[in-house]
Amino acid sequence: MGLTLREALSSISAVGGEKAAKAALGALGFGPSAHRQPQPLKLAKDLGRGARVLVLGAGIAGLVTALELKRAGFTVQVLEARNRVGGRNWTLRQGDQVDYLDGRRQTANFAQGLYFNAGPARLPSQHRTILDYCSELGVPLEVLINSSHGAQVRPDLQQPAFSVRQAHNDTRGHLAGLLATAIQRDTLDDVLSAEERTRLLAFLQGYGDLSQALVYEGSIRSGHYVAEPRPGALPASVAPLALDRLLHPELWGALLHTEYPEFSATMFQPVGGMDRIVDAFYSRLTAEVQLGARVQRIRQLDDGVAVTYHDQHSGLEQVVRADYLVSTLPLPLLARLDTDFSDPVKAALRTTRNDQATKVAWQSERFWERNERIFGGLSWLDHPAKVVWYPSNDLNHKEGLLVAGYVTGEGAAAFGARPLAEQYAASREAVELLHPGHSQALQQPLAVSWEQVPFSEGPWLQREHFPEDAHALLEQPQGRVYLASDGLVQSGVGIWQESAANSARHVVAQLGERVLRQRQAEASHAVS
Amino acid sequence: MGLTLREALSSISAVGGEKAAKAALGALGFGPSAHRQPQPLKLAKDLGRGARVLVLGAGIAGLVTALELKRAGFTVQVLEARNRVGGRNWTLRQGDQVDYLDGRRQTANFAQGLYFNAGPARLPSQHRTILDYCSELGVPLEVLINSSHGAQVRPDLQQPAFSVRQAHNDTRGHLAGLLATAIQRDTLDDVLSAEERTRLLAFLQGYGDLSQALVYEGSIRSGHYVAEPRPGALPASVAPLALDRLLHPELWGALLHTEYPEFSATMFQPVGGMDRIVDAFYSRLTAEVQLGARVQRIRQLDDGVAVTYHDQHSGLEQVVRADYLVSTLPLPLLARLDTDFSDPVKAALRTTRNDQATKVAWQSERFWERNERIFGGLSWLDHPAKVVWYPSNDLNHKEGLLVAGYVTGEGAAAFGARPLAEQYAASREAVELLHPGHSQALQQPLAVSWEQVPFSEGPWLQREHFPEDAHALLEQPQGRVYLASDGLVQSGVGIWQESAANSARHVVAQLGERVLRQRQAEASHAVS
């Protein structure tokens, strides 16, 4: 299958409806990505000597671009509008402030040692580029637990919550039992040989933990019924849930999200917070990054580029020139800048739209670990807050940082638009619905709606509004200007920091190749 | 369902055959356990003052017994035959020796920093007792990755290996497609209402990632086909495997083992090796544990017990008396001792049989991480070595300890009986079958067949040969003698260190209750 995202969406929507489609893909942030091989960078160490490159933005794409160009001998200057580096790789700790575009301000009041990854929070095994940077730059990693069978699901608020473990195994059991029934009724004899039929029935009994009569009557896999064991007996399993309690698209997240390559075991996180990656890059680029530099204008010259920016520190407008420019600004923000890009490029940039996403975080005593034996993973419920996400760090400690509400896809815009107090209340309500009596442990709420964060204005691009021809155009250099972004196709249909890093390496390779050709041309000219 | 193990086995065997049954349960070590609540111990601090208890064996059951009795004021002496504590909790490092009953000796030659958990290697979230001891005694834990979608399966050696990811998702897809076909043929209309039918079809499309025509044609969940992405397109998924390649009982381990409560996320391991737990207990019991004390005779006296042991260090036979005795010796070994237990007790002990299990470990460069993005988890293949188990510790380091072959259940006795060189060769072959070209990286093999390890003689009891009435009898005290063991029913139908610890706490509670009643009787006698 090589569906476009839109085709994939419409295929799912055809039966499950728009909500199901959104649940299936929207719950993931967005669709799965390609695992493009990392761009091998073999630039000569002095390739860039004498060449000057401006990099706009010090998120992951900007930092990778700057580090790799610096290593190849380029003179690099990074203009970053914020007074911190990292972009959407943003880890909040005690005292950090969240300033919204609309003027609202929150301050993180978490206890010392707690941290909140407001942006990316997961590194899959396949994200080789960013993981290799972690190895190379000395960023210690630990396992990110993306699914725990002890976590809870509540797809129907009229019914009590049940475990992810039970969702998986009762679903599998019921479906295996129904299929066994159909096979025994000889209704699939045209598609199954006699041998397949026999093997399939045997397989289904084990797969679904069916009874001798090939009926699903519950399984110890769905959980133990806690009772005094009698000698020699296996413990009883919990009573199976009826199939109709399991047929909810809201269950798809719990059942399926870890099946997508980007979300499946084994996953990682940096020890101490996602911004440990940012720190590692920045420590090698302190001299190159200029903070508080807000870009206002881009002009292409005959022999280079000129960028005008407002320096927050001096209050002055500055103009800086370079031979080349790599912009890693979010494309919708770049679209609004004063540039002299061609009309088609401007039009392509204007097709891009930011998506919305909100995370709500709390400091809390770890009741989920102590009482419910949930260590990491997510719980899912039919509620505007959508999920409760348990920390994978510092397991078994007294307190932790609970993300109660990670709202993406359908409902994200509406959720983010609600007053903060309502967002906190909704978050608390979600916790109470999954863990009755425990929401009182939640303290020091903090919400981050990325559409409200200056210089990001969204968590990622809405890909369904990004036409293929616009994609294709923007991955080409515009004169001496290159674009790098996690949203660009040159990184594969990528997501997360991996795509940002791969996009940056792609651009660095393109630029390196151009400079190399130019040097060769100059050399041959000098000789002839 | 409240099946006995034998019923469960016969139920699975009925369709899948004995091999399937063994695969389903044997691959797990043995059947799942109850999660009995930890025995609350609220013994008064000076309850045991003046009372002396002998504990036989310094494995987890013996260590827990000794620590809890010591805390309650008892005078405790632990007799341990080996020159180390821990029993089957045995972590091997550079220079450690493995001496077999038949005289063969191996020496661990792993590089500094590598370790091999020859015995227990996993702590599930539900194993509250042992996890609580880890917290209390200060044993740092990290996540044990029990399943990775990047790992491999090769249920049929005539065909190439494929990923655990693909096994899961192609199986789910095919079965969902077949069930959708059956439903659309109206063959289940008597068991599904019209509404259920509609909801189920929608659910199956999402669950199995079916096409619009409700056919399984492959899924991105099964993995990406690595190709140059074209603009705006989702990457192509790998071609789906035919259903008949998936109908192998040998796949059940990969598909289902993490569904059993004891094996599902989230799981833990102590940082640095499983014996960190042993170290933590032993540091509190150094004065109480006597190493090299090989018990030979148990006698019950009117007012106590007498145990004769051979002291390896002095070479002398010693007799020691106490008020009570707690034996944590493996039951088949206790059955062979010179005791004056009643005939029914002796008969019950003689019903117990040890099982067999072998692990083969290697030092190796981490090709599985670097080349194949496998971080922890297990690969499964149709081969005498059965599984390859990747380390969860020190991920992304250069070298690691690979367990290539964990042979339990059917085939374990035969494997363990082979010459060591053949075991190593089989282990290497298994790695080569899963990771062609990489078995040459394997160095410094070490095999541990538990049936060959003195004072254990097996990894656990064969439960199917342990009659219920024997169970029931052995969980009662025999005069002043108590038995604690991970194999006894008092710990629930338990497994692993959790059962050993719970069994020990159960016995300590029984003994504490008895001493308390006795003290109360003495006090009332003194008053009257």
Side-chain angles (χ1 to χ4, degrees):
Chain A
M1 297 210 301
L3 299 180
T4 62
L5 181 61
R6 213 170 306 114
E7 287 164 349
L9 277 165
S10 66
S11 154
I12 294 175
S13 331
V15 177
E18 181 61 17
K19 191 176 178 193
K22 279 280 184 183
L25 291 167
L28 306 180
F30 33 75
S33 84
H35 299 136
R36 189 189 176 111
Q37 294 299 315
Q39 180 72 49
L41 282 180
K42 290 178 187 152
L43 307 188
K45 218 176 153 186
D46 60 349
L47 174 70
R49 190 172 298 160
R52 185 174 163 78
V53 184
L54 270 176
V55 179
L56 307 187
I60 293 297
L63 292 169
V64 168
T65 302
L67 183 65
E68 295 298 348
L69 288 175
K70 181 181 177 181
R71 286 170 164 174
F74 288 87
T75 301
V76 180
Q77 182 177 9
V78 185
L79 301 179
E80 168 56 49
R82 297 173 166 104
N83 280 310
R84 63 169 181 84
V85 295
R88 286 162 288 165
N89 178 328
W90 190 22
T91 303
L92 290 147
R93 301 182 182 80
Q94 194 178 85
D96 287 337
Q97 277 180 348
V98 180
D99 287 310
Y100 274 179
L101 288 169
D102 63 12
R104 285 178 291 172
R105 165 172 289 188
Q106 302 167 85
T107 303
N109 286 316
F110 313 132
Q112 285 281 358
L114 299 183
Y115 65 81
F116 167 35
N117 289 329
R122 306 185 250 217
L123 300 170
S125 296
Q126 301 90 337
H127 279 188
R128 192 158 190 152
T129 304
I130 196 75
L131 289 175
D132 282 354
Y133 277 118
C134 290
S135 289
E136 185 196 340
L137 305 182
V139 178
L141 300 176
E142 64 191 356
V143 174
L144 181 284
I145 306 156
N146 204 27
S147 177
S148 171
H149 264 33
Q152 298 280 299
V153 289
R154 199 165 176 186
D156 178 354
L157 298 184
Q158 303 305 309
Q159 301 275 359
F162 50 95
S163 67
V164 168
R165 178 192 311 290
Q166 188 159 21
H168 274 282
N169 288 293
D170 283 351
T171 299
R172 188 190 290 107
H174 282 301
L175 298 183
L178 282 171
L179 182 53
T181 299
I183 293 168
Q184 288 173 300
R185 289 177 178 182
D186 307 329
T187 59
L188 294 167
D189 287 0
D190 58 326
V191 290
L192 296 172
S193 69
E195 189 210 334
E196 280 175 330
R197 181 192 149 114
T198 304
R199 287 179 68 203
L200 186 49
L201 284 174
F203 187 86
L204 286 171
Q205 192 183 28
Y207 190 65
D209 201 5
L210 306 182
S211 72
Q212 209 148 348
L214 300 183
V215 174
Y216 183 63
E217 296 173 345
S219 171
I220 206 76
R221 300 171 192 165
S222 290
H224 296 293
Y225 174 70
V226 177
E228 204 58 20
R230 65 183 171 81
L234 282 178
S237 47
V238 294
L241 295 170
L243 179 60
D244 76 338
R245 286 191 60 193
L246 299 163
L247 298 178
H248 288 274
E250 289 83 0
L251 261 189
W252 287 0
L255 292 177
L256 298 172
H257 87 291
T258 52
E259 299 302 336
Y260 287 88
E262 307 288 354
F263 292 81
S264 56
T266 304
M267 304 188 75
F268 298 98
Q269 62 182 7
V271 176
M274 190 56 81
D275 64 355
R276 297 299 195 223
I277 297 176
V278 174
D279 295 346
F281 276 99
Y282 188 44
S283 68
R284 288 157 176 86
L285 293 165
T286 321
E288 284 78 10
V289 176
Q290 186 167 347
L291 297 174
R294 300 187 177 173
V295 174
Q296 298 177 311
R297 195 173 306 118
I298 298 173
R299 287 290 178 273
Q300 309 206 51
L301 315 173
D302 284 348
D303 57 350
V305 291
V307 169
T308 307
Y309 67 92
H310 182 261
D311 181 347
Q312 285 292 105
H313 300 296
S314 67
L316 299 178
E317 191 163 282
Q318 305 277 3
V319 180
V320 61
R321 292 185 175 209
D323 299 302
Y324 302 98
L325 176 73
V326 179
S327 170
T328 70
L329 303 184
L331 302 180
L333 276 64
L334 183 61
R336 295 197 315 242
L337 274 191
D338 174 5
T339 69
D340 57 358
F341 296 157
S342 71
D343 287 342
V345 168
K346 286 182 173 177
L349 285 171
R350 280 196 302 267
T351 65
T352 62
R353 297 275 179 282
N354 266 320
D355 211 334
Q356 297 86 27
T358 298
K359 280 183 184 171
V360 183
W362 302 84
Q363 172 179 339
S364 175
E365 188 273 325
R366 294 185 184 234
F367 57 84
W368 58 89
E369 295 184 356
R370 200 193 56 231
N371 299 323
E372 306 190 38
R373 317 307 285 169
I374 302 172
F375 297 90
L378 290 86
S379 289
W380 308 70
L381 74 170
D382 184 22
H383 182 273
K386 299 199 176 189
V387 297
V388 170
W389 189 349
Y390 310 96
S392 292
N393 61 298
D394 300 311
L395 300 174
N396 290 304
H397 283 215
K398 188 169 178 296
E399 294 202 305
L401 196 295
L402 188 69
V403 174
Y406 178 24
V407 190
T408 62
E410 193 186 18
F415 192 90
R418 292 166 72 176
L420 289 168
E422 283 187 25
Q423 294 180 24
Y424 302 157
S427 170
R428 194 185 279 279
E429 183 179 67
V431 171
E432 190 66 23
L433 285 166
L434 290 167
H435 306 288
H438 287 296
S439 70
Q440 62 195 25
L442 304 175
Q443 298 170 32
Q444 313 294 0
L446 189 77
V448 172
S449 295
W450 279 97
E451 58 273 25
Q452 281 288 346
V453 175
F455 311 111
S456 294
E457 302 190 15
W460 48 70
L461 293 185
Q462 284 184 20
R463 278 151 197 277
E464 55 268 50
H465 297 298
F466 197 173
E468 293 186 17
D469 52 353
H471 257 290
L473 181 59
L474 296 181
E475 68 174 311
Q476 300 305 321
Q478 320 300 325
R480 289 166 172 267
V481 178
Y482 294 75
L483 306 186
S485 160
D486 59 300
L488 280 174
V489 122
Q490 64 209 4
S491 62
V493 184
I495 59 173
W496 305 350
Q497 297 170 94
E498 178 75 357
S499 298
N502 278 341
S503 175
R505 290 170 67 90
H506 179 79
V507 160
V508 169
Q510 277 185 316
L511 182 52
E513 177 69 19
R514 176 175 181 165
V515 171
L516 180 64
R517 278 199 312 268
Q518 193 177 311
R519 297 263 195 265
Q520 288 166 340
E522 287 165 4
S524 106
H525 188 73
V527 168
S528 64
Chain B
M1 296 211 304
L3 299 180
T4 63
L5 182 60
R6 214 171 303 115
E7 286 164 350
L9 277 164
S10 66
S11 154
I12 293 176
S13 331
V15 176
E18 180 62 18
K19 191 175 180 195
K22 279 280 185 185
L25 290 167
L28 307 179
F30 33 76
S33 84
H35 301 135
R36 189 190 177 110
Q37 294 299 315
Q39 179 73 47
L41 283 179
K42 290 177 188 153
L43 307 188
K45 215 177 156 185
D46 60 350
L47 174 70
R49 190 173 300 160
R52 186 174 162 79
V53 184
L54 271 175
V55 178
L56 307 186
I60 293 296
L63 293 169
V64 169
T65 302
L67 182 65
E68 294 299 347
L69 287 175
K70 181 181 177 182
R71 286 171 164 175
F74 288 87
T75 301
V76 180
Q77 183 178 7
V78 185
L79 301 179
E80 168 56 51
R82 297 173 166 104
N83 280 311
R84 65 168 179 84
V85 296
R88 286 163 288 165
N89 179 326
W90 190 21
T91 303
L92 289 147
R93 300 181 183 80
Q94 193 178 85
D96 288 337
Q97 278 181 346
V98 180
D99 287 310
Y100 274 179
L101 288 169
D102 63 12
R104 284 178 291 172
R105 165 172 288 187
Q106 300 167 86
T107 302
N109 286 317
F110 313 131
Q112 285 281 359
L114 298 184
Y115 65 82
F116 168 35
N117 289 328
R122 305 184 250 217
L123 301 169
S125 296
Q126 301 90 337
H127 281 188
R128 194 160 187 150
T129 303
I130 196 74
L131 289 175
D132 282 354
Y133 277 118
C134 290
S135 289
E136 185 196 340
L137 305 182
V139 179
L141 301 176
E142 63 191 356
V143 174
L144 180 284
I145 306 156
N146 204 27
S147 178
S148 171
H149 264 33
Q152 298 281 299
V153 289
R154 198 165 177 186
D156 178 353
L157 298 185
Q158 303 305 309
Q159 302 274 0
F162 50 95
S163 68
V164 168
R165 178 191 312 288
Q166 188 159 20
H168 273 282
N169 288 294
D170 282 351
T171 299
R172 187 190 291 106
H174 282 301
L175 298 183
L178 282 171
L179 182 52
T181 299
I183 293 169
Q184 289 175 298
R185 289 176 176 183
D186 308 329
T187 59
L188 294 167
D189 287 0
D190 57 328
V191 291
L192 296 172
S193 70
E195 189 210 332
E196 279 174 332
R197 183 192 147 113
T198 305
R199 288 179 66 202
L200 186 49
L201 284 174
F203 186 86
L204 286 171
Q205 193 183 26
Y207 189 64
D209 202 5
L210 306 182
S211 71
Q212 209 149 346
L214 300 183
V215 174
Y216 183 64
E217 297 172 344
S219 171
I220 206 76
R221 300 172 191 164
S222 290
H224 297 293
Y225 174 71
V226 177
E228 204 59 20
R230 63 183 172 83
L234 281 178
S237 47
V238 295
L241 295 170
L243 179 60
D244 76 338
R245 286 191 58 193
L246 299 163
L247 297 178
H248 287 274
E250 290 84 0
L251 261 190
W252 287 2
L255 292 177
L256 297 172
H257 88 292
T258 53
E259 298 302 335
Y260 287 88
E262 307 288 355
F263 292 81
S264 55
T266 304
M267 304 188 74
F268 299 98
Q269 62 182 6
V271 176
M274 190 57 79
D275 65 354
R276 298 298 195 224
I277 298 177
V278 174
D279 295 346
F281 276 100
Y282 187 45
S283 68
R284 288 154 177 88
L285 293 165
T286 321
E288 284 78 10
V289 176
Q290 187 168 347
L291 297 174
R294 300 186 175 175
V295 174
Q296 298 180 310
R297 195 174 305 116
I298 298 173
R299 287 290 179 271
Q300 310 208 49
L301 314 173
D302 283 348
D303 58 349
V305 292
V307 168
T308 307
Y309 68 91
H310 182 263
D311 181 348
Q312 286 291 105
H313 300 296
S314 67
L316 298 177
E317 191 163 281
Q318 304 279 1
V319 180
V320 62
R321 291 185 175 209
D323 299 303
Y324 302 99
L325 176 73
V326 179
S327 170
T328 69
L329 303 184
L331 301 179
L333 276 65
L334 184 60
R336 294 198 316 243
L337 273 193
D338 175 3
T339 68
D340 57 358
F341 295 156
S342 71
D343 287 343
V345 168
K346 286 182 172 175
L349 286 171
R350 281 195 301 267
T351 65
T352 62
R353 297 275 179 282
N354 266 320
D355 212 335
Q356 297 87 25
T358 298
K359 280 183 184 170
V360 183
W362 301 84
Q363 172 179 339
S364 175
E365 189 273 326
R366 294 185 184 233
F367 56 83
W368 57 91
E369 295 183 357
R370 201 193 56 230
N371 299 323
E372 307 191 38
R373 315 310 284 170
I374 302 172
F375 297 90
L378 290 86
S379 289
W380 308 70
L381 73 170
D382 184 24
H383 181 274
K386 298 199 175 189
V387 297
V388 171
W389 189 350
Y390 310 95
S392 292
N393 61 297
D394 300 311
L395 300 174
N396 291 304
H397 283 215
K398 187 169 179 296
E399 293 202 306
L401 195 296
L402 188 70
V403 174
Y406 178 24
V407 191
T408 62
E410 193 187 18
F415 191 91
R418 293 165 71 176
L420 288 168
E422 285 186 23
Q423 293 180 26
Y424 302 156
S427 170
R428 193 184 281 280
E429 182 180 69
V431 171
E432 190 66 24
L433 286 166
L434 290 167
H435 305 288
H438 286 296
S439 70
Q440 62 195 25
L442 304 174
Q443 299 170 34
Q444 312 295 359
L446 189 76
V448 173
S449 295
W450 279 97
E451 58 273 24
Q452 280 288 346
V453 175
F455 311 113
S456 294
E457 302 190 14
W460 47 71
L461 293 184
Q462 284 183 19
R463 278 149 198 278
E464 55 266 48
H465 296 298
F466 196 173
E468 292 186 18
D469 53 353
H471 256 290
L473 181 60
L474 296 181
E475 70 174 308
Q476 301 304 320
Q478 321 299 325
R480 290 167 171 268
V481 177
Y482 293 76
L483 306 185
S485 161
D486 60 299
L488 281 174
V489 121
Q490 64 208 5
S491 62
V493 183
I495 60 173
W496 305 349
Q497 298 171 94
E498 178 75 357
S499 299
N502 279 341
S503 175
R505 290 171 66 90
H506 179 80
V507 160
V508 169
Q510 277 185 316
L511 181 52
E513 177 69 19
R514 176 176 180 164
V515 170
L516 180 65
R517 278 199 312 269
Q518 195 176 310
R519 298 265 195 263
Q520 286 166 339
E522 286 165 5
S524 106
H525 188 72
V527 166
S528 64

